[in-house]
Amino acid sequence: MVPGATARAADDECRTEQLKSARITASVRFKHEGEDHTKAEGRLMVKAPKSWSRAADLLLNGDTERYRTAMRCLLRYPDDPFPYRNTEGRTELPKVTAEKKWITVDQRVSTWVVNLQTRHFGPWSLTVGNRLWHLELLRPPALDKAWWQEVTVDLGGRAARSVSSTPTTGATTKLTWTREKAGGKPPEVRVTLQPPAAKASAARWSQHPWYVFDSLAWLPLHGVLLALLLVTARTVRCAPASAPRTDAETRTARNLLVISWLTFAVTVVQLFDDTLLAHFANQDTALFWTDQHRTAVHFGLTLLTGLALCVFGIPGRTAVVLVIAATGYVIAVACHPEGFALPSQWWLDWENFPDEVRWFREKSPMVAFAGACACVVFVWLVGTAASLLRLWRSTNTPTSGWPRGRFPHALLVALVLVSVAVSAVSVWTAQNLWEHQSWLSRRNAYEAYGLWHVANLFNEIRWFPSDWLDWFHGTYFWWWGPSLAILAVLRARDKAAVPAAVLPPPAELRTLKVFFVACVAPVAGWYAGVPLPLLSLLALWLALTGLLALGTKRAVLYRKLLSGHRLHEMARGSDRPQLLKAARRHRELHAQLRRLEQGQQDEDRSQLEHELDRLHRLPHPSPPSGLPNTWIRLPPSIGPVELALAWGPQATSWGNACRAAYFAALSSVPAVAILTWADHVRGVRWTDKFLQRFGFVEIVTAAVSMELLWVGAGFTLGALWRVLPGRRGPARASGLALVYAAPVLVQWTGNWIVDQPFHTWPLELSLTLLVLTLTGVAMDIDTFRGERRYWPTRASLLLSVYQWRTASVQVAFLVGQLVALVTIWQQLKGNDPMILIERGPSESAGGEGSGK
């Protein structure tokens, strides 16, 4: 709102005549390179004379009316009692310093051009068109007669399309207007610029009708994932681990099929609930639902999707009763809002219908609305928890009836508390956002402020149902459910396989590839506002397929013997204890040889070599008739130690997977803390959480999500342990880390083309490599855990297992990773972005991409 200012009002409010001697410098700097959207940073420095009657008010607390009045005089239109800006980003209040003759106000603001909306920030107005942007300096009326010493416009390396008035100095990309003396008319600054095509595209993509195509562009990713899950379900059904198929195999395959379709259906709702409603409203189609009762529709869609999860999860009786009660309350609020003093059309207009807002304020229905939001969250959390419990318990023997404790009551109480907390914090952050955007409003003199405040607060929080679905499912549950369903399938197959296979059968290898895509792989592929995630997914699939194909040639257990057999064809589970003994004896003999070469031991070298030669042989799997003791020599680069390490610490691939997941869970805790700091706490990101609806809970869910991601990566490493190329754990981990990096490298290439930032991807890739490397080292140590009591430390055991020369290479590898992490950390510490609080995704009606 920018009402017309009058000189009389300005004189009366701000003592304009006393500000004639004020000195002002203003600047704006555009940054196109290395940003997702063009960023504009503005600065306004006002030196107000101490003789100004309101100068002392600038030093008061920012919550006082006198402070706000003085700041309105210097920064805004003084006769506008309700200044409001949702396009202006600030990290702090203007800095005020007192000098001998002056009081200086230094305001720093920024904005990101994320749509075609006109953006006001500081004294600047930026009108965003499809291809041309128009920048204008809007001087505060109280400073119109002051001395504007210098005005600078830095166009970020782009030459202007038009400029008025003529600048005093500068170049094609940086213009400066100066006035040597006080007095005279301040400069009229108007500049037209043409931004880079990528940044213009990113700004247009959130407009009608392009936001519909944004959702359509994300849909193929989930369609491909659905196809992979359905193929996996069919594969495990057609190739059971036992004959006949066990009940657990049948249940887990059926659950995988159901959860795949269910999550896809919810994803379709999540992607299109806002975009289609906004599109139909723009087309004047079914306005009763798409505009007048849109919040009720969002309540219904979010509630139905949560109930669908509850039906799948089948929680306990107590949970069902509470879900039914919560559903009834939400339906009552959505269908009859007037009964709870809520507006019938879910919108408050304080200017045209002030009486309705007064009624709303007197009845305090915000509690009723927040209760409905808490009920929606509760239904969703119960459905999520019940679904996950069903998926994991499907591998166990089912019990008859509906036993007490199927859905733990302690968990139910926790979900109730979390639901109430999420709803309450959302109202609190909406209030903080209001304070941030209306910080210069006159609050005590006008009744209208109270009406304006209440109306805007409700109009902001009414998007909660839609935002919850976009945030919780669109960010987390869409991959949590299918990932756990695949794990349950693998667990059931492991229990059914008797005897266990040495290598994962083809059906399980295909299942593990899909698990890596659903659970571990990063979701990337956003270029200049256009989502193209299938490119990154294709790169991941090709890299993983190539790694497994390389494993069939270079993995230890795939090496061919002179007889034509491969090592895995000769290995049996019963041979593992003997294999570990041979590996230990092999290391002892090598240690004796080294001491013999150094003159520290006097033994017969030929005898040691003969025994070593015997350890490099395996019994023939099908010896010729009459020669039962025929032996086959191992390949030259493979010895008993490499064979034991290739087998892994457990007897089965499932056991190796669980063991690797355990080690990854432990080693990733510091990595989770580092990445959480970098993505959610660093710099102004922490203060920004006070303004985001799910900001604080997102810190927890993002940390849990990152931990699950690395646990899933460790599980995959362990499950594929015997088929990955490499003789040591770090080598196997490096191959899987390269697969993880493949979609990120595609993203990096696209970022380089469209000049976008790489964010914290280097840090995440380095941490992933470090976590997998430590997991691989821990797996190698755990393989020989039976010898742990003979060694003073695990490091000494590791040196014995790897031998010194190889260990030194591994240590250097780890040191290099740590150096890279420290370097990235130092870079991130000095890169604190200013976060602009924009309107929520529901309000902007833009499609959101899913991410992990």
Side-chain angles (χ1 to χ4, degrees):
M1 179 192 308
V2 184
T6 63
R8 185 183 188 88
D11 291 343
D12 189 47
E13 182 77 30
C14 299
R15 312 294 189 268
T16 303
E17 292 299 322
Q18 300 176 14
L19 289 173
K20 282 186 176 181
S21 59
R23 302 177 179 181
I24 302 104
T25 60
S27 64
V28 63
R29 182 173 70 92
F30 287 88
K31 184 180 180 184
H32 310 289
E33 299 178 357
E35 297 287 346
D36 288 330
H37 300 87
T38 292
K39 178 181 180 181
E41 297 175 321
R43 185 178 184 182
L44 177 67
M45 289 188 65
V46 180
K47 281 192 172 185
K50 279 190 173 181
S51 58
W52 182 42
S53 58
R54 293 193 178 276
D57 297 342
L58 296 171
L59 299 171
L60 298 179
N61 185 282
D63 197 37
T64 60
E65 193 62 46
R66 291 169 60 188
Y67 172 88
R68 288 192 289 265
T69 301
M71 280 295 177
R72 277 198 305 273
C73 291
L74 300 183
L75 306 179
R76 301 284 176 86
Y77 289 81
D79 63 334
D80 178 12
F82 304 139
Y84 176 83
R85 288 186 178 176
N86 62 351
T87 58
E88 181 180 272
R90 302 185 313 277
T91 57
E92 58 185 359
L93 292 174
K95 185 179 180 181
V96 180
T97 56
E99 302 172 6
K100 186 175 182 179
K101 295 182 179 180
W102 309 93
I103 290 184
T104 303
V105 177
D106 186 0
Q107 184 195 35
R108 297 171 184 263
V109 295
S110 64
T111 191
W112 278 259
V113 187
V114 299
N115 52 37
L116 302 186
Q117 174 186 5
T118 297
R119 319 187 73 78
H120 296 281
F121 59 106
W124 302 97
S125 173
L126 181 64
T127 303
V128 182
N130 285 327
R131 199 65 188 94
L132 297 179
W133 299 353
H134 305 279
L135 177 72
E136 183 178 2
L137 175 65
L138 301 179
R139 298 184 304 273
L143 299 178
D144 207 30
K145 297 180 181 180
W147 183 7
W148 288 76
Q149 294 178 309
E150 183 177 277
V151 178
T152 303
V153 176
D154 186 345
L155 298 177
R158 309 284 294 186
R161 297 296 296 266
S162 66
V163 177
S164 65
S165 58
T166 305
T168 307
T169 60
T172 56
T173 62
K174 188 174 182 180
L175 311 172
T176 302
W177 291 259
T178 59
R179 295 171 63 194
E180 297 297 335
K181 297 180 180 180
K185 188 177 181 181
E188 301 289 339
V189 178
R190 296 182 181 88
V191 179
T192 300
L193 69 147
Q194 182 175 343
K199 300 303 181 288
S201 171
R204 290 195 304 267
W205 199 251
S206 61
Q207 301 301 123
H208 180 268
W210 302 111
Y211 51 71
V212 179
F213 296 103
D214 181 86
S215 298
L216 289 173
W218 280 109
L219 189 61
L221 172 68
H222 299 279
V224 170
L225 180 61
L226 173 64
L228 291 175
L229 293 172
L230 296 181
V231 170
T232 301
R234 181 178 180 181
T235 299
V236 296
R237 280 184 170 181
C238 295
S242 63
R245 181 186 297 109
T246 63
D247 293 339
E249 289 184 272
T250 302
R251 286 193 303 272
T252 54
R254 182 175 61 249
N255 286 344
L256 175 60
L257 190 65
V258 175
I259 199 66
S260 300
W261 281 108
L262 182 58
T263 53
F264 180 75
V266 177
T267 298
V268 172
V269 175
Q270 173 254 319
L271 286 175
F272 292 99
D273 61 341
D274 275 328
T275 55
L276 287 183
L277 288 175
H279 176 69
F280 291 146
N282 285 324
Q283 299 297 320
D284 295 334
T285 303
L287 290 179
F288 181 83
W289 296 111
T290 61
D291 184 38
Q292 299 175 14
H293 292 80
R294 185 170 173 178
T295 301
V297 174
H298 286 314
F299 263 127
L301 292 175
T302 306
L303 187 64
L304 285 175
T305 51
L307 289 175
L309 293 178
C310 291
V311 171
F312 173 77
I314 317 176
R317 288 194 180 95
T318 305
V320 169
V321 170
L322 292 179
V323 166
I324 292 175
T327 301
Y329 180 75
V330 175
I331 292 175
V333 171
C335 295
H336 189 58
E338 300 89 344
F340 299 87
L342 293 167
S344 59
Q345 295 188 1
W346 300 97
W347 176 264
L348 290 176
D349 187 346
W350 70 279
E351 293 180 300
N352 298 319
F353 302 99
D355 292 336
E356 185 180 17
V357 182
R358 290 190 184 96
W359 171 261
F360 183 92
R361 184 174 59 180
E362 291 173 1
K363 297 300 180 180
S364 300
M366 190 67 76
V367 176
F369 186 83
C373 295
C375 289
V376 168
V377 175
F378 176 74
V379 171
W380 251 90
L381 293 182
V382 170
T384 298
S387 298
L388 297 180
L389 286 174
R390 173 180 172 175
L391 291 174
W392 190 244
R393 289 170 174 171
S394 60
T395 59
N396 302 328
T397 303
T399 56
S400 59
W402 203 347
R404 179 183 178 86
R406 179 173 183 147
F407 195 91
H409 287 180
L411 177 60
L412 195 59
V413 172
L415 296 183
V416 171
L417 296 177
V418 170
S419 303
V420 174
V422 169
S423 178
V425 170
S426 297
V427 176
W428 176 63
T429 54
Q431 172 64 23
N432 293 339
L433 181 61
W434 164 258
E435 297 283 349
H436 180 85
Q437 295 173 341
S438 64
W439 67 290
L440 285 181
S441 300
R442 189 189 298 273
R443 306 186 180 187
N444 300 327
Y446 296 95
E447 179 204 6
Y449 170 79
L451 302 180
W452 181 43
H453 175 202
V454 171
N456 277 271
L457 185 63
F458 174 75
N459 293 339
E460 167 66 23
I461 197 66
R462 73 192 183 102
W463 296 104
F464 182 96
S466 174
D467 289 350
W468 169 262
L469 186 61
D470 290 336
W471 173 75
F472 187 73
H473 178 79
T475 309
Y476 300 109
F477 187 74
W478 73 271
W479 62 275
W480 283 1
S483 300
L484 188 59
I486 295 175
L487 284 180
V489 167
L490 294 173
R491 185 186 183 195
R493 291 179 65 87
D494 175 73
K495 288 184 176 181
V498 179
V502 174
L503 298 180
E508 291 186 13
L509 285 178
R510 289 193 288 270
T511 303
L512 286 169
K513 289 174 65 176
V514 176
F515 173 79
F516 193 85
V517 171
C519 177
V520 182
V523 176
W526 189 89
Y527 313 103
V530 182
L532 298 172
L534 288 185
L535 294 177
S536 297
L537 181 61
L538 178 62
L540 172 79
W541 190 262
L542 293 177
L544 185 56
T545 302
L547 179 67
L548 295 180
L550 181 63
T552 59
K553 298 180 180 180
R554 303 298 301 172
V556 171
L557 293 180
Y558 275 101
R559 295 294 181 89
K560 280 188 177 182
L561 302 174
L562 294 177
S563 62
H565 296 84
R566 296 184 183 271
L567 276 172
H568 69 84
E569 298 172 346
M570 303 179 60
R572 296 186 300 270
S574 58
D575 296 335
R576 187 167 179 271
Q578 187 64 32
L579 184 63
L580 292 175
K581 291 180 180 179
R584 180 184 177 188
R585 182 58 181 164
H586 182 271
R587 286 159 30 225
E588 291 174 349
L589 293 175
H590 266 283
Q592 293 180 29
L593 275 178
R594 286 197 299 271
R595 288 194 295 268
L596 185 62
E597 292 174 352
Q598 297 169 2
Q600 300 176 4
Q601 188 170 332
D602 186 14
E603 291 189 18
D604 186 359
R605 183 183 183 92
S606 61
Q607 183 178 354
L608 295 177
E609 293 176 347
H610 178 69
E611 189 170 355
L612 280 171
D613 187 65
R614 291 182 57 189
L615 292 175
H616 277 79
R617 297 182 302 177
L618 291 177
H620 199 293
S622 53
S625 178
L627 297 174
N629 296 324
T630 302
W631 300 86
I632 301 177
R633 181 174 294 279
L634 291 173
S637 59
I638 303 299
V641 175
E642 286 73 24
L643 201 53
L645 292 177
W647 190 279
Q650 300 295 320
T652 63
S653 295
W654 172 263
N656 283 338
C658 293
R659 199 64 179 165
Y662 169 76
F663 291 133
L666 295 180
S667 61
S668 62
V669 171
V672 168
I674 293 173
L675 204 55
T676 301
W677 169 85
D679 286 338
H680 300 280
V681 182
R682 173 173 55 101
V684 297
R685 295 175 187 266
W686 169 250
T687 57
D688 196 53
K689 297 300 179 185
F690 290 85
L691 309 177
Q692 294 176 347
R693 180 159 297 153
F694 305 113
F696 289 104
V697 68
E698 186 176 11
I699 296 177
V700 179
T701 51
V704 172
S705 183
M706 285 184 285
E707 179 70 13
L708 293 178
L709 184 149
W710 278 317
V711 169
F715 179 90
T716 307
L717 176 63
L720 299 176
W721 188 261
R722 298 173 182 174
V723 299
L724 291 175
R727 297 189 302 162
R728 301 285 189 266
R732 295 184 175 90
S734 299
L736 197 62
L738 287 176
V739 172
Y740 182 88
V744 181
L745 294 178
V746 174
Q747 175 74 57
W748 176 82
T749 304
N751 287 351
W752 177 76
I753 294 174
V754 301
D755 200 10
Q756 287 180 189
F758 206 37
H759 300 296
T760 56
W761 281 117
L763 179 63
E764 182 173 344
L765 292 180
S766 298
L767 290 172
T768 301
L769 177 59
L770 181 61
V771 168
L772 289 178
T773 300
L774 293 176
T775 301
V777 171
M779 289 283 284
D780 286 345
I781 295 176
D782 197 50
T783 300
F784 294 95
R785 64 182 177 275
E787 302 178 27
R788 175 66 183 87
R789 60 184 181 273
Y790 305 127
W791 297 91
T793 62
R794 288 183 174 86
S796 57
L797 173 59
L798 181 65
L799 294 178
S800 174
V801 171
Y802 282 176
Q803 304 300 316
W804 171 250
R805 185 173 300 173
T806 308
S808 63
V809 174
Q810 305 299 340
V811 170
F813 183 54
L814 288 174
V815 170
Q817 293 185 45
L818 293 175
V819 170
L821 281 175
V822 171
T823 303
I824 295 171
W825 177 283
Q826 293 296 330
Q827 292 177 353
L828 289 175
K829 285 176 65 178
N831 183 24
D832 292 337
M834 297 174 67
I835 304 301
L836 172 63
I837 302 301
E838 287 286 346
R839 295 158 59 188
S842 298
E843 215 166 338
S844 63
E848 280 195 341
S850 302
K852 287 189 275 202

